[in-house]
Amino acid sequence: MASTSRHLMTRRGFCLCCVAAPFAATGGWLSPREAYAEARGIVSLIKDSAAVSPITTHRLRGNISVLEGSGGNVAVFTGTDGKLLIDAGIGVSQRQMTKALGALGSEPVTHLINTHWHFDHADGNAWLGSAGATIIAQDNTRKHLSQVQRVEDWDYNFLALPPDGLPSEVFAKTRELQLNGASIALKHYGSAHTDSDISVTFAEADIVHVADTYWNGIYPFIDYSTGGSIDGMIAASDANLAATTDKTIIIPGHGHPVSNRVELQSFRDMLVAIRDNVAKLKREGRSRDEAVLAKPTAAFDAKWGQFVIDPGFFTRLVYQGV
C-alpha cells in the first residue's frame, strides 16, 4: 500500500486486523481456503475481528458519512426522515455501530439499503430490521439471503437470514427514493462482483456508493458462485466512471472509504490489464496453476496485492472467468 497507515486502515475496513496471525505464520498471505485449514475459517475470523474492531467515522458532505470497521464501508445519510444506511456491516459489531450512529444524531435508522448479499454487508440486517428499519435491495439479494448459500472460494455455507433481516422492498433494475429532502437513485449493475450488486447515488451531494464493484487499493474478490465475473467487474467500473466526475466522492466497498474518479480509473485499468494477461496465458493452453506461476499480476502486486486476496488467489479468480 502507499503507506503503513493506509494499509492498517484497509485491514480494519475489511475486519481482518485479527486475521493476520495465520497468514504471517506461513511467511505470506494464504488463500481463504488455505486459511480455513490453518485456523477456524476466514469467515469466522472476520466475524471475530468485527466483534472487537473500532468503528471510524468519515464525515463527507450533505449529512452523509461513512463508517469503517464492520465489514464493508457503510454509508449513513442523516436527516429529519431518520437515518438511511447503505449496507449493514456484520451483526457482531452492533455495539460499536450503535455508538457510531448515535454520534451522528439521535434519529433512528428508518431505512437500510443492501448493495448486495454478502455477509460483510448484510449480516447486520437482522438487528437493524428488528429495530424497525425498512430494508431495500435488488431481487437477487433477497433471493440469496433467503436460502442457504455456499461460497466455494470461502469454503463456507451461509445460512438464510431470519425474516426480520430480509429485504421487504425489492426491485429489478432501478429504484428512486426521496428521503431527507434528497434524491437517491439505486441501479443494478447486472453480473459484476455478484449478480446482486447495485450502486447508490446521492444526486445533490454528488456522492455514489459503488460497493464491492470497487476495492480501493486492493485486489477484489469475485464471487462466481452467485453470478460474478471479471468482465462484469470491468463493465461495472466503466459504468461507474461514466456516471461520475472529478468532483464526485466515490465510496468503495473495501479499502480506504473516500475515493475519487482518478483512483477508480486506476482500479479499472488494473482489472483490464490482468484480465488480458491471464486470457493470453489461457489461450496458450496454460493450466490455472501454470498461469499463477507466470505471475500475470506482477506489475500491480506492490500496490494491489498486499491484502487477503493475494496475487495468486486473484489470478485464479480471473482465470476462472476468461
Side-chain angles (χ1 to χ4, degrees):
M1 306 298 290
S3 68
T4 301
S5 61
R6 171 87 177 258
H7 186 58
L8 291 173
M9 184 175 293
T10 299
R11 286 175 180 274
R12 185 171 65 248
F14 200 30
C15 280
L16 284 169
C17 56
C18 299
V19 187
F23 302 126
T26 67
W29 294 105
L30 301 176
S31 73
R33 179 173 291 280
E34 291 167 332
Y36 186 85
E38 292 290 330
R40 294 179 52 243
I42 193 69
V43 174
S44 296
L45 290 172
I46 291 171
K47 289 184 177 182
D48 288 348
S49 177
V52 298
S53 291
I55 302 295
T56 299
T57 300
H58 303 262
R59 292 180 183 264
L60 306 182
R61 60 192 180 211
N63 292 326
I64 298 170
S65 302
V66 180
L67 305 183
E68 179 190 14
S70 177
N73 294 320
V74 175
V76 185
F77 179 35
T78 302
T80 56
D81 294 327
K83 292 187 178 76
L84 163 67
L85 265 59
I86 312 303
D87 283 337
I90 300 175
V92 293
S93 299
Q94 180 179 351
R95 176 183 58 82
Q96 303 97 299
M97 288 286 288
T98 299
K99 181 179 178 180
L101 289 168
L104 293 174
S106 60
E107 300 87 354
V109 177
T110 56
H111 293 81
L112 164 65
I113 296 171
N114 289 146
T115 62
H116 62 295
W117 76 271
H118 281 162
F119 84 103
D120 52 320
H121 299 258
D123 189 63
N125 279 22
W127 74 268
L128 288 161
S130 64
T134 297
I135 304 175
I136 304 168
Q138 202 273 340
D139 290 329
N140 290 330
T141 294
R142 179 180 172 87
K143 180 183 74 173
H144 296 314
L145 293 177
S146 300
Q147 60 193 25
V148 175
Q149 193 67 62
R150 179 164 182 80
V151 176
E152 195 65 34
D153 285 310
W154 298 111
D155 199 15
Y156 199 89
N157 294 321
F158 293 92
L159 301 180
L161 289 184
D164 282 345
L166 295 176
S168 58
E169 297 185 13
V170 295
F171 64 96
K173 294 184 178 180
T174 62
R175 173 78 185 273
E176 300 287 336
L177 299 175
Q178 293 289 328
L179 286 172
N180 297 327
S183 304
I184 304 159
L186 284 55
K187 186 174 183 179
H188 183 221
Y189 289 102
S191 174
H193 169 67
T194 69
D195 62 7
S196 60
D197 305 288
I198 64 170
S199 62
V200 181
T201 301
F202 298 89
E204 291 83 1
D206 195 13
I207 295 173
V208 57
H209 198 318
V210 300
D212 277 11
T213 66
Y214 172 33
W215 293 41
N216 189 11
I218 50 181
Y219 288 140
F221 178 61
I222 304 171
D223 186 1
Y224 289 91
S225 70
T226 51
S229 74
I230 179 61
D231 285 338
M233 287 287 285
I234 294 167
S237 293
D238 288 337
N240 292 333
L241 288 166
T244 55
T245 71
D246 291 342
K247 296 180 180 180
T248 306
I249 294 176
I250 301 171
I251 303 172
H254 296 285
H256 191 274
V258 186
S259 189
N260 54 57
R261 204 168 183 275
V262 171
E263 292 177 338
L264 175 60
Q265 181 73 57
S266 178
F267 175 77
R268 184 264 183 197
D269 292 346
M270 173 273 294
L271 292 181
V272 170
I274 292 177
R275 180 203 54 189
D276 292 349
N277 290 347
V278 174
K280 181 176 183 292
L281 292 169
K282 196 169 186 178
R283 287 196 302 269
E284 292 172 354
R286 307 282 188 100
S287 69
R288 188 184 68 170
D289 290 344
E290 289 171 338
V292 171
L293 289 174
K295 299 184 178 180
T297 67
F300 301 94
D301 291 345
K303 177 178 180 180
W304 302 92
Q306 305 302 310
F307 195 50
V308 69
I309 307 298
D310 67 14
F313 188 54
F314 187 57
T315 299
R316 290 190 287 272
L317 287 173
V318 175
Y319 188 93
Q320 184 173 342
V322 297

